[in-house]
Amino acid sequence: MNPYDDSPTGRRPRPPRSEWDDEYPGGEDHADAGYRDDRGGDYPSRRADEPTSPPRPSGRASVGRASVGRASVPDPIPPGPAYGPPPIGGPGYGPPPSGGYEDGYTPGPSYGGPPSYGAPYGPEPRVDPYGPSYDPQAQSRDPYAGGSYDDDFDPLGPPGGAPMGPPPMGPMGPGPVAGRANVGRASVRPVSPGGPGSAPGDGPGGPGGPGGRGPGGRGPGGPRNPFNRGRRDDGDGPDAKGTPADRRRKRARRRNIIIAAFAVFIMLAGAGVVGGTYYVDNVNFDQDQLVFPETTQIYYADGPILAKLGQTTRFALKYDEMSDSVTQAIVASEDNTFWTNEGVDFTGVMRAAWNNFTGGQTQGGSTITQQYARVAFNLSGANVNRKLREAVLAWKISDKLSKKQILEYYLNSVPFGRNTYGIEAAAQAFFGKTAKKTAKPEDQITVAEAMLLVLMVKQPNPDPTDPKGAPGYDPSYSPEAAKAAQLRWDYVHDQMIKLGYLKQSDKVTFPMADVKKYDPNQGNGLDKPAGLVVNHVLSELVNSPGPFKGHSWESIRDGGYKIYTTLDSRAQAAAEAAANPTVAGSVMNGQPATLQAALVGVEPGTGRVIAYYGGQDGNGGDFAGIYKDEDGKWAGFGAHPAGSSFKVYTLAAALKAGISLNSYWQWTPHDMPGRVGPLQIRNASTCPTDPKGVTTACSLLDSTTASLNTTFYGVTVSISPAKVLQMARDAGIEHMWAEKGRVDFTPTTDMTKQTPQNFDTILGIGQYPITVADHANGLATFANNGVRAQEHFVLKVLDGDTTVFGETLPASNAQPILNAGASADLDYALSTVSASKLKNLPGWQSAGKTGSWEANMSSTTNAHAAMVGYTKKLAAAVWVGNQKDEKAIYDKTHSTIWGAGLPASIWQAFMTNATKAMGLKNDASAKFPAKVGIGNENPDGSIPSPTPPPPTDPGLPGGGGGGGTPSGGPSGGNGGPIIIIPTKTPKNH
């Protein structure tokens, strides 16, 4: 109850706690709103709709209020002070306004100056209700005290040594400022009854009545506010603070503070438990969802590794596969109690949290299980939230996984430096060994090496901001790193002995000499020429029926697969030795830097690409083929005009159509459908049996040897361009570039829709670009007696020890695209081309065709040159051109490059060396069948044979295999460039 509330007995009771003034915790409204004090102060009173309630028990036996009413003296305040300054620190008269004081208050001058009476009832300085005194009434000071408290003033003690005593008294009775004459609240305190205000300064009571407060102070029995948690103003004298009642009040206050603090703690603790439970329940753990990226490795078919995929290197091992020295060393280094703890080092977590909170050294306080949680769930930072989440996840991991599983996952996931993740990748990178216990003893890492590897978990690489002070533990980085590694290794060694993994007598030394020097620039194989195959491999997997169809390349790169390609490392080496200009002794070594070669080798009967050279940089342009990239778009630069080398398909189509090799055709320029007058097809060579054009007749066989354009254009007209295109498609040509761009032949088998819409009759002599890879596969079909196999790069894919993808080979009863007679005659005809003879493979039968395409309609220069051919065991196609612009190509002697020049030399070198390196046998299966001589000798479009037919003289210029220039000029059976004047020249895309 407020001792200063002098409203009549009918005023409102104490309101319920919910209605107490927010600015005074634990206190209540101190006056009735709307009541105007005689001194001019407006005070709020109870609202009309405000509920009333009986007084709340306060520990005092309240008898009630003995209110006498108001004794107001309405005389005005005189202009000067009537009584002089009152004692400092006396409580103010009347309650403070509910909710504090209005803005705009300007405190009076400090004590010692003249008292200010201008606005004795104005607002006073706000005092923090939560300050040390916890006394809401401390905000209401005596309006007669003209100054404010000093900073060190104790309202219950003497002011700065000033003697306490009664203030100067004026006349009794009505005075200019009488205030409210409270009778007070008559309360009975059975425990601590209020005594009389006997201290100096307690007068006989103001004029308002007994017990009221006049200028003389409080009357006898004036109780304090039961809600006032500050010090009680029982008197103004120095003895007031030392009374027994005062001490009891202090103890009660301390007790109340302790109880309140405990209540707050309980509430916070409860909230923490609820929040912690919610936090723990919302940290989900599902080991099945954790898929760590593992390095996919690509191998040659014969075993050597070709490339490693992915941004990092990781190879997973099962726990039972891991060397014991590895599992023991990691426990000794990182978590001695791993096998017995619950997965969380709570002491370490609290210590780390405290150090982090207080600004101490950042600590992890992490077990192996916690470290695994951090890596598995990609938790970063050193804040408390991360540590709590890490601890919760470790707790859940321990609940769901066995210790062996945790150690297995941990050792397969943590980084070990050198761009490796997992113990197996680290063992290979640091020592060139394995962590598998099932490997040969000499191939396994030793105990000492395992102890060094586990150091990397702490810090594999030097701190770039402080490489000297924090050099990491890879001893090959620097002398500082070697020293740090030695010290840490010694610690692990001691722990191994402590845990019983080693004996003191075991001879184990720091394996510095065994550590491989790290070369950060060392590639993963993708930068080598064979690296271009990787694009074809990934494209093939995601676009072929099987488990990878529709998947992303990334999922394969990081899937930890073992992909065995069709490439043979020996054949690949032969291809690079022949076509790579950076290899000493290769055909292209020393040639103009603007030149580019491409070579693809295919195994007849299977379609396996056994060698692939599309350029010297595995990350550069691919000049041998095309593939669908990660976005499903075609990529690569492998499309080039085949020139006369395309005539193999025209010849095969003619044989299939029943045209004999002995049929005769007008070989000299003349008008033909689509090519009349100045657009007539021309040759760069002559018929071997009619070099002067006396008869103008040349057999199809001799026209093949001499590569006569006029003959093959006439044959194309005779059988139709659609049949030539059909033969090319069936043999393996899946893409051809028309004027409008690439045309895909795979969706359709009806080539009549492609001619003449996209390709006209000139396709029979090789104007339209095709890829080197398709061309090689087409020749492999002819080598396999006309049975086509799909060209492919993937032999098989292993996921662990399980084969999840395998190649598709032709069925044993697959139908050939040529009958046996036509196939035999094709082999015979192509074997008469001199460039196809493998001089360094005695006894081997071979067949082939050269080709070239002119530069800028020139009859003496070429922009493209090619050579294609096969044995029964191996087929290959070679192209030579410019890397960039389609310009005339010259060799290092500045001679024009023909098909019989550099391309033929590359082809022969590859075929010879690959055959030898692979150990291919020249057995009966390597022999060509004998010539059959099928077909009609007088088909449509042919001319009668000369009577008698002139003999063929191989030594004549232009004859089959006759002389010719070293660069493969037109007189060497190469046929020279195809000279035409097209109505529209297709663009080379």
Side-chain angles (χ1 to χ4, degrees):
M1 297 171 62
N2 192 337
Y4 305 119
D5 192 345
D6 59 350
S7 56
T9 56
R11 69 186 185 282
R12 63 171 180 166
R14 184 185 307 122
R17 188 175 297 269
S18 62
E19 296 177 22
W20 295 347
D21 190 348
D22 291 340
E23 191 144 333
Y24 299 95
E28 59 174 310
D29 293 338
H30 301 288
D32 294 339
Y35 172 73
R36 181 167 183 85
D37 189 279
D38 294 336
R39 293 165 291 183
D42 291 334
Y43 299 95
S45 65
R46 176 175 58 85
R47 300 185 304 272
D49 59 347
E50 186 172 337
T52 61
S53 62
R56 297 174 62 88
S58 62
R60 299 184 179 96
S62 180
V63 177
R65 293 175 175 171
S67 180
V68 178
R70 297 190 178 116
S72 301
V73 180
D75 294 351
I77 298 174
Y83 303 106
I88 298 175
Y93 293 87
S98 175
Y101 300 92
E102 297 181 5
D103 295 336
Y105 166 72
T106 302
S110 61
Y111 178 70
S116 175
Y117 298 107
Y121 304 104
E124 302 225 354
R126 296 178 182 268
V127 177
D128 187 355
Y130 299 96
S133 68
Y134 291 89
D135 186 359
Q137 296 302 325
Q139 299 189 64
S140 179
R141 297 174 186 156
D142 192 338
Y144 289 95
S148 58
Y149 295 147
D150 293 329
D151 291 338
D152 58 349
F153 173 71
D154 183 354
L156 298 181
M164 298 298 292
M169 297 297 294
M172 297 299 291
V177 180
R180 296 178 183 172
N182 289 343
V183 175
R185 294 173 180 155
S187 300
V188 177
R189 293 172 50 96
V191 176
S192 56
S198 59
D202 286 339
R213 177 140 190 173
R218 179 181 293 149
R224 71 183 183 95
N225 185 348
F227 299 99
N228 185 347
R229 289 175 291 177
R231 296 183 176 119
R232 178 179 177 183
D233 294 329
D234 283 329
D236 298 324
D239 298 332
K241 64 186 285 185
T243 62
D246 204 23
R247 289 193 294 272
R248 285 192 293 271
R249 284 193 298 273
K250 289 181 180 180
R251 287 195 297 269
R253 183 180 66 178
R254 285 195 297 268
R255 182 174 62 251
N256 292 339
I257 291 174
I258 293 173
I259 293 173
F262 183 72
V264 171
F265 172 78
I266 292 298
M267 288 187 290
L268 292 176
V273 170
V274 174
T277 302
Y278 177 82
Y279 184 88
V280 170
D281 289 343
N282 280 272
V283 176
N284 296 318
F285 166 72
D286 187 354
Q287 177 64 32
D288 295 335
Q289 295 179 359
L290 298 180
V291 179
F292 293 108
E294 295 181 29
T295 300
T296 290
Q297 298 182 93
I298 298 183
Y299 296 87
Y300 287 101
D302 53 327
I305 189 165
L306 189 155
K308 297 178 181 180
L309 305 185
Q311 297 298 318
T312 57
T313 305
R314 186 198 311 266
F315 310 113
L317 295 179
K318 298 293 185 183
Y319 177 84
D320 293 336
E321 296 178 311
M322 294 178 181
S323 169
D324 292 340
S325 60
V326 168
T327 57
Q328 293 170 357
I330 196 66
V331 170
S333 175
E334 297 298 312
D335 188 359
N336 284 186
T337 63
F338 170 75
W339 295 107
T340 57
N341 65 41
E342 297 297 326
V344 181
D345 180 3
F346 289 103
T347 302
V349 171
M350 295 302 295
R351 181 177 63 252
W354 174 254
N355 285 346
N356 293 343
F357 177 75
T358 58
Q361 182 180 4
T362 300
Q363 295 185 3
S366 298
T367 63
I368 283 178
T369 310
Q370 288 175 256
Q371 293 181 44
Y372 170 60
R374 185 189 314 155
V375 173
F377 293 91
N378 196 26
L379 304 179
S380 60
N383 54 59
V384 175
N385 182 62
R386 192 272 289 171
K387 293 182 181 297
L388 288 175
R389 186 174 178 84
E390 175 188 294
V392 171
L393 285 169
W395 185 16
K396 293 191 173 186
I397 288 172
S398 295
D399 188 50
K400 290 192 176 184
L401 301 180
S402 68
K403 289 290 185 178
K404 289 184 178 181
Q405 287 177 311
I406 293 172
L407 205 55
E408 173 188 324
Y409 296 146
Y410 174 78
L411 284 171
N412 282 323
S413 60
V414 292
F416 283 83
R418 299 194 177 190
N419 206 31
T420 63
Y421 284 76
I423 190 65
E424 176 64 12
Q428 295 181 20
F430 281 82
F431 298 107
K433 297 182 179 181
T434 179
K436 291 182 179 180
K437 65 169 62 174
T438 56
K440 296 178 181 179
E442 61 269 22
D443 295 333
Q444 296 182 38
I445 57 174
T446 64
V447 174
E449 292 167 345
M451 291 163 56
L452 178 60
L453 284 180
V454 299
L455 307 185
M456 307 307 152
V457 174
K458 284 289 186 186
Q459 183 190 346
N461 304 321
D463 185 346
T465 63
D466 186 15
K468 298 290 185 180
Y473 295 109
D474 186 339
S476 67
Y477 264 110
S478 65
E480 292 81 8
K483 181 178 180 180
Q486 175 75 71
L487 293 174
R488 180 71 183 174
W489 187 91
D490 290 341
Y491 164 78
V492 176
H493 179 263
D494 293 341
Q495 296 299 307
M496 292 280 283
I497 295 174
K498 173 183 175 182
L499 296 173
Y501 298 144
L502 288 178
K503 297 178 181 178
Q504 193 72 44
S505 59
D506 290 336
K507 302 297 182 182
V508 182
T509 58
F510 185 64
M512 180 66 193
D514 300 326
V515 179
K516 294 172 60 178
K517 184 68 177 177
Y518 178 50
D519 181 7
N521 298 319
Q522 183 178 4
N524 53 10
L526 297 176
D527 56 337
K528 297 179 180 179
L532 291 172
V533 172
V534 173
N535 294 327
H536 294 272
V537 166
L538 296 176
S539 179
E540 182 177 320
L541 288 175
V542 302
N543 290 289
S544 300
F548 303 106
K549 185 173 180 60
H551 287 214
S552 68
W553 286 22
E554 183 179 5
S555 67
I556 299 175
R557 291 191 191 104
D558 295 337
Y561 302 104
K562 293 181 180 179
I563 301 176
Y564 287 85
T565 68
T566 57
L567 264 67
D568 187 285
S569 63
R570 300 159 294 182
Q572 181 65 24
E576 294 178 22
N580 189 351
T582 64
V583 176
S586 77
V587 176
M588 294 299 292
N589 184 248
Q591 298 294 339
T594 57
L595 291 180
Q596 177 66 55
L599 182 155
V600 178
V602 177
E603 183 179 61
T606 64
R608 295 169 182 163
V609 178
I610 64 168
Y612 192 93
Y613 180 83
Q616 67 191 56
D617 183 3
N619 296 314
D622 186 348
F623 291 90
I626 62 172
Y627 57 90
K628 282 187 177 180
D629 63 15
E630 295 183 74
D631 299 323
K633 298 178 180 179
W634 288 99
F637 304 93
H640 317 286
S644 291
S645 67
F646 191 84
K647 292 173 183 175
V648 297
Y649 305 108
T650 307
L651 179 60
L655 291 169
K656 184 175 183 177
I659 296 178
S660 171
L661 290 176
N662 293 326
S663 60
Y664 282 81
W665 304 81
Q666 183 176 348
W667 70 272
T668 56
H670 61 284
D671 289 346
M672 286 183 284
R675 299 289 173 174
V676 297
L679 299 180
Q680 289 178 354
I681 301 297
R682 301 178 183 275
N683 300 309
S685 60
T686 61
C687 179
T689 58
D690 185 28
K692 297 184 180 297
V694 175
T695 65
T696 70
C698 192
S699 70
L700 182 55
L701 177 62
D702 290 337
S703 295
T704 300
T705 303
S707 192
L708 298 177
N709 298 327
T710 50
T711 297
F712 278 88
Y713 187 91
V715 169
T716 303
V717 172
S718 175
I719 63 177
S720 79
K723 287 187 177 180
V724 174
L725 198 58
Q726 186 70 52
M727 175 57 66
R729 179 201 178 277
D730 292 346
I733 305 301
E734 296 185 343
H735 307 274
M736 184 179 285
W737 277 255
E739 183 178 0
K740 67 178 184 180
R742 182 184 61 85
V743 177
D744 190 347
F745 293 155
T746 56
T748 178
T749 58
D750 186 2
M751 293 297 105
T752 60
K753 296 181 180 179
Q754 300 294 336
T755 57
Q757 293 90 332
N758 295 319
F759 308 101
D760 65 16
T761 311
I762 203 172
L763 71 86
I765 57 176
Q767 172 174 311
Y768 300 102
I770 58 176
T771 68
V772 180
D774 279 0
H775 212 0
N777 195 41
L779 273 294
T781 299
F782 296 144
N784 192 41
N785 301 318
V787 178
R788 179 194 172 176
Q790 181 64 46
E791 160 204 342
H792 61 282
F793 292 85
V794 180
L795 187 66
K796 61 182 178 180
V797 179
L798 300 181
D799 186 358
D801 296 329
T802 304
T803 300
V804 296
F805 183 91
E807 65 179 345
T808 301
L809 299 178
S812 58
N813 59 349
Q815 295 299 310
I817 61 175
L818 291 172
N819 60 42
S823 178
D825 286 358
L826 178 66
D827 292 341
Y828 172 76
L830 295 178
S831 68
T832 64
V833 176
S834 61
S836 69
K837 300 183 184 300
L838 298 173
K839 302 174 184 179
N840 294 321
L841 284 178
W844 279 86
Q845 293 181 318
S846 57
K849 185 73 183 74
T850 60
S852 58
W853 194 259
E854 77 279 355
N856 300 320
M857 303 297 294
S858 171
S859 62
T860 58
T861 59
N862 300 316
H864 304 272
M867 172 68 198
V868 296
Y870 57 88
T871 64
K872 286 295 183 179
K873 299 292 182 72
L874 180 61
V878 176
W879 165 87
V880 174
N882 274 317
Q883 293 178 356
K884 295 182 179 180
D885 299 329
E886 192 176 30
K887 296 180 179 180
I889 52 177
Y890 302 95
D891 62 16
K892 59 185 176 182
T893 66
H894 202 67
S895 300
T896 296
I897 298 175
W898 301 83
L902 288 180
S905 298
I906 294 172
W907 181 85
Q908 291 207 18
F910 167 73
M911 293 291 291
T912 299
N913 294 330
T915 298
K916 291 179 178 180
M918 296 174 66
L920 301 180
K921 302 298 183 181
N922 188 15
D923 51 19
S925 63
K927 304 301 180 180
F928 288 159
K931 174 187 175 184
V932 176
I934 66 161
N936 183 2
E937 295 185 0
N938 298 291
D940 291 342
S942 65
I943 62 174
S945 63
T947 303
T952 299
D953 185 356
L956 293 175
T965 64
S967 61
S971 61
N974 176 69
I978 298 175
I979 304 173
I980 59 172
I981 307 177
T983 55
K984 281 188 177 182
T985 302
K987 296 179 180 179
N988 182 11
H989 296 277

